[in-house]
Structure formats: structure tokens, C-alpha cells
Amino acid sequence: MRNAFIYASIVAMGGLIFGLDAALISGTVGFITKEFDLTAIQQGMAVGAPAFGVLIALLFAGFLSNRFGRKRTIQLIAALYVISAVGSALATSYWMLVAARFLGGLAFTSISLAAMYIGEIAPSKLRGKLVSMIQILIVVGLSGAYYINNYILKAVKAGAEWAVTYGVDDNVWRWMLGSEILPALIWFVLLIFIPRSPSWLMFKGREEEARASLRKLIPEDQIDHHIKEMKKSLEKSDQSHSLGAQFKEMMSQPMRVILIVAVTIAIAQQATGINAILFYAPTVFEQLGMGTDAAFTQTTWIGLTSVVFTLLSLLLVDKLGRRPLIIWGMVWIIASLGLAAFGFSQARYTLTEDDLTELSDVVNSERLAPMIGTEYENDIAFKNELIAVLGETDARNHSSVLLQKAATMNASLILFSILSIIAAFHFSVGPVMWVLFSEIFPISIRGIAIPVVTFITSFVSWLVQQFFPWQLANMGGTSIFLFYAGSVFLGLVILYKYLIETKGLSIEEIQAKLAIK
């Protein structure tokens, strides 16, 4: 048991690196937008490049994990994270930055492969907790990224000696992205010490090596039983083990309910808009009229909320069960999204004569004179008028301070609703989806099935990240959050009908309950 926990913890560090990689970019959006003069679509491409990269990687993840094993594939992923972090920090152009982040996206398969590996080495009674460690470390990485970004920004603003000495003040976003390098290197080294997956070794017909791996994980008197169970699972599958045969089995009649559950939760998890909030956190908070510095500070609350509620999920997933956490968690998410939409719908935007005087740092701020005293009913109307009087570049570069001056809204209500979305996600569909993925697929098709459903959730994630800046510029906060709420509701209806409870069941028992005879 102890060794299984240690090895699972090492592999789950892929979640930590993922969290860092995903959230560090949130603090750089404003800096890289100014440095490379980016449009809304280009912002989305810079932030969403990893999500697009993982779509490509997932096409090969099943083949690589089956051909070379879970361990070797995860080691390759760790190396890609290191290369990507170095390339992102040293990028000299927009396209070099996109390319480096795309390379990091190839490594985002760490989440699905880590869940697969941990699910294969974990005892049944601990599987939920051990797989959920991935999500815990993801949120620790996310939280760490927000604290790192906030720390670097405050050090630069305060003129800290170390920031001046090392040129941080002139390269803020590079230091933010470069902070990932050391953790990625540490993970790469630690992966050397984990054993190969016993399930994969049995899949390849290497029983003696599988027994040797099991000896590192469980007591000797339990090994024969585990070997017998794995053989039984493999006997039900097409013994050719080709990708074509695995895909055919995955799409077969007995797998129909399993696919419905997996695909629905894969879409619904990202349809929450979670990655719009996490990856654009300062940008989201700037919409509340907080200003850049306050927006960075508020992101630390996202990190703290994520960690607390993921830990609660870890403690309860094997007590309350998977189905209650997912179903009621989605209800909670829908209600929180609706509350955020309501908060934005009540917002109004007005510039005063005093604001014009205080906006002397805005280039030719007298251009704002035609807007003085006019009340705008939503953020879109206000932003469109800013573009009309200032031009697109100046409106984009100064939007934070202009929103801070003009916005009248219940910012506390919207902040509460956003943190509620974060809490509900990390309490339910965030970690529990990966637990389900590690449980519901047979060993014979797991190597291709988990990457396939991860491809689906990653594609939705890419859409969310790529188009959020455009949505923010063209739809506004109210419509965006209502759109997310409607999408999650559709997923809730389907999962309410098909999702079964898998708590305490062996993988074979789960598959028997879900299979269509």
C-alpha cells in the first residue's frame, strides 16, 4: 500500500506541472498582448495553443502507451514540459511563443496517462483517492502559478532589489513562464524510479515482469489473485491487441453506455467554462472593475478555493460515491453560473468628468469626452464605444483602468459566484471524471479509450480557451455564463439517466454493470 501511494504521488506530479503550465499564462496575457500587439483571436491562440497541442498528442497517446508502456510515455511527456517551459520563457516572437506552448500541449496528455497508470497500480479501495491526487496536484499547481504571478508582479511594482538586479521588471512574463522549468525537471528525474504498469505488462504477455511489478505494490499472497483478474479481463477482448481491434471493441454494442457516460462527462466538464476562468483569471476579474493589481491579488482566492474543495472531494469520493458528487456538483455549477450571469446583467458603465481628469495616463484621454455622462447598459456597449473613440489598440491596452473607473456593479456577488463555480467544479466533475475514466474501461481498450475521451474533453477545452477573448469582446459576461450554464444542464440530463455508482466495485464489476448484454 505504501509503495502504491509513493508511486502514485510521483506520477500524479504530472498534474502539478499541468497546473503550473496552464495557469502561469493567465498572468502574462496583458504583457504579451502589449509586447506583440495581439488581437483577441491571437490572445486566444497564445493561451489555447497547449489545448490544441494535446489534440494532436492524443492521436498518438494510445499507440505510444500500448507500444512503449505507460512509464516510458510519461517520461517523454516530462521531457516535453521542460523543453516547452524553456522555449516559452525565451520566445522572441509571438509565433515562437505559440510554438513553444503548442509543444507543451503535447505533454498535456500527462493527465490522462497518469490517471491510467494510477488506476492500474492502485488497490480497489484506494483507487478513487489515489487517482484524485492528480486533480489535487493540478489545483496546487494552479494555485502556485497564481501566487508566483502575483509575487513577481508585486516585486516589480515595489522595485524589489532582486527584480531590478535580474531584469525581471523588463521581462515580467518571461519570469512567470520560466518558473515552470525547475519543477518539470524534478518530475522528470523522479519518474525514473517508478515501476512499469502490471496491467500493461500483462497486456504485452510479460507475466513474470508483471509479477515483479506487483511485488512492489501489494503483498505476495495477493499477487496470484490480481494476475487471475487481469487475465480474465484480457480473455474477453480481441487478442490481436491492434489499435483497430481496440477501437472496434470500444465502439461495440456492449460499450455503448460506457461511451455515453464518458463522452458526456468529457464535454460537460469543460463546458462549465472552467478553463476560461482559470486561464484568463486576471482578465475575468478586470471585468469587475478591479484594476490589474487587484485582479492579480484576487486570483490567489481561486487557487485557495480550488485546493480546499479538491481536498474535500478526495476525502468524500470513496464515502459519498461518484454519482452523487457529479450530479449534485453539476447542479451547483449551473446555479453558480446563473448567479454570475445575473450579476453581470445588473452592471452599468458610466464615465464622469472626474474620471476624465484622473485618466491622464491614457493617451489623449480627452477623446473620451463624448462618453462622459452616458450610461451603458452592458460591458459590450461600453467596450464598443471605447473602440470607436480610442481605436482598437488603445481601447484594449487601457480597458482595465477604464472598466475600473466606469463600472457600477455588485462585484462581491459576481466574485462569490465565480469562486462558487471554482468550488463546485473541483468538488465534483473536476477530479471525479478522471476517477471514472480509470474505472469504466476494460484493460483491453484502456490504452486507446482514455486518450479518445480525453481528446474530446481537450477539444472542448481548446474551444473555450481559443474563443473566450472573442466572446468577452462580442458577447459580454451575461451571455457567456448563460451559455455555459445551458451546456452543463444538457450534460446533467444525460448523466442523471445513465451514470451508475461505481464506489467500492472492482473494475470488472463496474464494466459488467455498464455493459449492454
Side-chain angles (χ1 to χ4, degrees):
M1 298 290 186
R2 178 174 174 272
N3 283 351
F5 176 79
I6 292 172
Y7 298 138
S9 298
I10 291 174
V11 173
M13 277 187 66
L16 175 72
I17 311 304
F18 171 89
L20 283 171
D21 195 283
L24 285 170
I25 190 66
S26 69
T28 72
V29 173
F31 296 103
I32 63 174
T33 296
K34 289 182 180 179
E35 180 153 340
F36 300 123
D37 192 24
L38 306 183
T39 64
I41 292 296
Q42 287 174 322
Q43 285 179 20
M45 190 175 295
V47 174
F52 185 72
V54 76
L55 298 180
I56 305 301
L58 286 169
L59 297 176
F60 303 97
F63 167 77
L64 291 173
S65 66
N66 283 341
R67 175 68 178 82
F68 301 105
R70 295 18 167 174
K71 175 178 177 176
R72 293 286 181 260
T73 307
I74 294 173
Q75 286 178 309
L76 173 62
I77 284 169
L80 287 173
Y81 271 129
V82 175
I83 297 169
S84 171
V86 173
S88 297
L90 299 179
T92 56
S93 68
Y94 165 70
W95 285 110
M96 183 176 174
L97 175 63
V98 170
R101 287 186 52 71
F102 172 83
L103 190 62
L106 299 179
F108 274 21
T109 50
S110 60
I111 306 306
S112 61
L113 291 178
M116 184 192 307
Y117 178 92
I118 295 172
E120 291 177 348
I121 69 167
S124 297
K125 64 180 180 180
L126 294 178
R127 191 186 308 116
K129 287 185 173 63
L130 293 182
V131 174
S132 293
M133 282 199 307
I134 299 170
Q135 189 67 28
I136 290 176
L137 288 174
I138 288 175
V139 298
V140 169
L142 291 169
S143 182
Y146 296 136
Y147 278 100
I148 289 169
N149 286 345
N150 192 41
Y151 175 74
I152 291 174
L153 185 68
K154 285 188 174 180
V156 170
K157 293 279 187 180
E161 183 178 346
W162 70 269
V164 175
T165 302
Y166 294 105
V168 181
D169 49 343
D170 295 324
N171 298 281
V172 174
W173 66 270
R174 297 183 188 279
W175 279 80
M176 289 177 175
L177 296 180
S179 63
E180 179 189 343
I181 297 172
L182 181 59
L185 275 172
I186 292 172
W187 187 45
F188 178 78
V189 172
L190 289 176
L191 286 171
I192 296 172
F193 303 102
I194 67 171
R196 287 184 177 274
S197 162
S199 295
W200 177 78
L201 291 168
M202 287 296 295
F203 176 75
K204 301 298 285 187
R206 294 154 62 174
E207 182 175 332
E208 288 306 312
E209 292 179 67
R211 288 179 178 275
S213 280
L214 284 170
R215 288 189 186 98
K216 299 177 181 180
L217 300 166
I218 60 176
E220 184 73 31
D221 59 0
Q222 298 179 17
I223 291 177
D224 286 339
H225 172 72
H226 280 265
I227 293 291
K228 184 178 179 180
E229 288 295 311
M230 287 188 284
K231 283 182 176 179
K232 186 187 299 183
S233 179
L234 289 168
E235 284 170 0
K236 299 176 182 178
S237 66
D238 186 321
Q239 294 302 306
S240 70
H241 292 170
S242 68
L243 290 178
Q246 291 177 61
F247 187 78
K248 182 179 179 181
E249 182 180 349
M250 185 179 71
M251 301 301 293
S252 65
Q253 176 81 0
M255 294 290 108
R256 181 176 298 175
V257 173
I258 292 176
L259 273 183
I260 290 173
V261 169
V263 171
T264 300
I265 195 170
I267 294 173
Q269 193 214 46
Q270 291 302 315
T272 58
I274 188 68
N275 282 342
I277 298 171
L278 295 179
F279 296 1
Y280 293 93
T283 305
V284 171
F285 287 130
E286 284 177 2
Q287 306 309 303
L288 308 186
M290 292 182 172
T292 300
D293 291 351
F296 268 81
T297 300
Q298 295 301 329
T299 61
T300 60
W301 285 104
I302 288 182
L304 179 61
T305 303
S306 300
V307 171
V308 169
F309 281 89
T310 302
L311 286 172
L312 283 175
S313 179
L314 172 68
L315 294 173
L316 296 175
V317 67
D318 286 324
K319 292 181 180 179
L320 297 181
R322 286 55 156 160
R323 179 181 166 89
L325 286 182
I326 289 176
I327 297 300
W328 289 107
M330 292 176 74
V331 171
W332 181 3
I333 290 169
I334 293 167
S336 301
L337 288 166
L339 187 62
F342 172 77
F344 274 109
S345 72
Q346 301 302 301
R348 296 295 181 266
Y349 303 82
T350 307
L351 287 172
T352 66
E353 290 285 355
D354 290 340
D355 292 333
L356 192 63
T357 302
E358 295 172 11
L359 289 169
S360 57
D361 57 331
V362 177
V363 179
N364 298 323
S365 59
E366 63 272 9
R367 290 177 294 172
L368 295 168
M371 298 179 63
I372 300 302
T374 301
E375 181 179 273
Y376 297 90
E377 294 187 354
N378 55 63
D379 51 336
I380 294 301
F382 180 69
K383 291 174 185 176
N384 286 341
E385 189 65 17
L386 285 179
I387 293 172
V389 300
L390 294 180
E392 188 170 348
T393 299
D394 280 351
R396 181 174 64 242
N397 289 342
H398 300 289
S399 63
S400 176
V401 66
L402 290 168
L403 284 169
Q404 184 178 11
K405 294 295 183 182
T408 301
M409 64 172 68
N410 191 339
S412 297
L413 175 67
I414 300 176
L415 175 61
F416 171 80
S417 65
I418 289 174
L419 293 178
S420 182
I421 295 166
I422 298 294
F425 177 88
H426 288 103
F427 185 70
S428 59
V429 292
V432 182
M433 182 183 80
W434 299 108
V435 176
L436 282 177
F437 284 178
S438 72
E439 293 177 331
I440 62 178
F441 293 112
I443 294 173
S444 57
I445 65 169
R446 199 175 298 157
I448 188 172
I450 292 180
V452 165
V453 291
T454 305
F455 179 92
I456 294 170
T457 199
S458 298
F459 180 71
V460 179
S461 174
W462 173 73
L463 289 176
V464 169
Q465 295 172 56
Q466 175 65 49
F467 292 105
F468 180 73
W470 180 90
Q471 287 179 306
L472 203 57
N474 294 276
M475 293 173 60
T478 302
S479 297
I480 291 173
F481 285 104
L482 284 177
F483 173 77
Y484 292 152
S487 302
V488 178
F489 178 76
L490 290 176
L492 174 62
V493 171
I494 296 171
L495 289 173
Y496 185 82
K497 178 178 181 179
Y498 290 105
L499 180 62
I500 67 165
E501 181 53 67
T502 61
K503 178 183 68 172
L505 301 177
S506 69
I507 291 177
E508 290 73 23
E509 289 171 335
I510 293 168
Q511 291 153 12
K513 289 187 69 173
L514 285 171
I516 297 176
K517 307 301 181 184

